[in-house]
């Protein structure tokens, strides 16, 4: 990492490792590895070094959020289904000490009613939904803007 690059953690929740085969009509046909590569590439172009992780385990996601809080690392997170019901993930997000941007590939508000609630959104700086892989790219840009503002 050069001196001018900033760290960002991009954390992904359950079932996102199945991108490519998981409901491609909703989530697209790019597989998870190619999404990771694209996030890393875009992050680097914007001056970030991205650590991109995925877990199906709520406890592991919470442990990563604790580490991010301790290290004051900004987080871009797609909490996947945890978005809609995990108060534990929400409370871990509330501990963060650097910006949090919530992202979704799909637009949960245009889908089933249970997806209309995000328990995470209220402790995020902002949420970007509905643009597929571009949701992550836009989140990186938003983070760059937050970090360059006085
Ligand atoms: C998702 C939307 C959630 O409702 C869903 O449970 C996911 C993916 C998205 O990226 O569109 O797993 O977070």
């Amino acid at each position: 990492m050069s001196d001018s690059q900033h760290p960002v953690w991009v954390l992904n929740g359950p079932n996102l490792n199945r991108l490519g085969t998981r409901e491609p009509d909703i989530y697209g046909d790019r597989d998870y590895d190619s999404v990771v590569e694209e996030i890393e590439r875009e992050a680097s172009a914007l001056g970030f070094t991205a650590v991109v992780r995925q877990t199906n385990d709520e406890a592991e996601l919470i442990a990563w959020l604790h580490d991010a809080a301790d290290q004051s690392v900004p987080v871009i997170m797609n909490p996947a289904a945890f978005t809609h019901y995990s108060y534990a993930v929400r409370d871990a997000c509330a501990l963060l000490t650097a910006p949090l941007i919530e992202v979704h590939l799909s637009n949960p508000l245009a889908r089933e009613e249970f997806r209309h609630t995000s328990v995470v959104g209220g402790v995020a700086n902002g949420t970007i939904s509905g643009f597929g892989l571009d949701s992550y790219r836009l989140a990186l840009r938003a983070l760059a803007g937050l970090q360059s503002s006085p």
Side-chain angles (χ1 to χ4, degrees):
M1 186 169 82
S2 84
D3 285 348
S4 59
Q5 282 188 304
H6 299 285
V8 57
W9 289 3
V10 181
L11 306 181
N12 294 293
N15 302 305
L16 291 168
N17 56 322
R18 292 298 176 126
L19 289 177
T21 52
R22 178 189 181 197
E23 299 180 274
D25 45 320
I26 295 172
Y27 298 114
D29 53 16
R30 290 185 74 129
D31 66 16
Y32 178 73
D33 288 346
S34 83
V35 168
V36 172
E37 274 170 32
E38 191 52 42
I39 293 169
E40 288 170 347
R41 189 177 9 252
E42 182 76 7
S44 177
L46 290 168
F48 293 107
T49 298
V51 172
V52 188
R53 296 176 176 156
Q54 187 278 331
T55 183
N56 297 317
D57 181 342
E58 188 177 23
E60 185 167 41
L61 182 57
I62 290 167
W64 291 342
L65 289 165
H66 291 174
D67 289 346
D70 291 344
Q71 296 176 45
S72 276
V73 178
V75 173
I76 292 171
M77 181 170 65
N78 184 343
F82 292 148
T83 307
H84 311 302
Y85 67 90
S86 177
Y87 298 121
V89 170
R90 183 252 183 243
D91 284 352
C93 290
L95 292 168
L96 289 169
T97 48
L100 168 67
I101 301 176
E102 176 188 0
V103 299
H104 300 282
L105 293 156
S106 68
N107 176 3
L109 294 177
R111 301 179 60 196
E112 302 96 320
E113 202 166 340
F114 75 88
R115 297 184 203 276
H116 296 183
T117 297
S118 168
V119 300
V120 169
V123 289
N125 292 71
T127 300
I128 300 170
S129 300
F131 301 102
L133 179 53
D134 277 343
S135 293
Y136 290 89
R137 294 191 185 102
L138 290 165
L140 286 161
R141 283 171 192 275
L143 181 63
L146 281 176
Q147 294 198 323
S148 67
S149 51

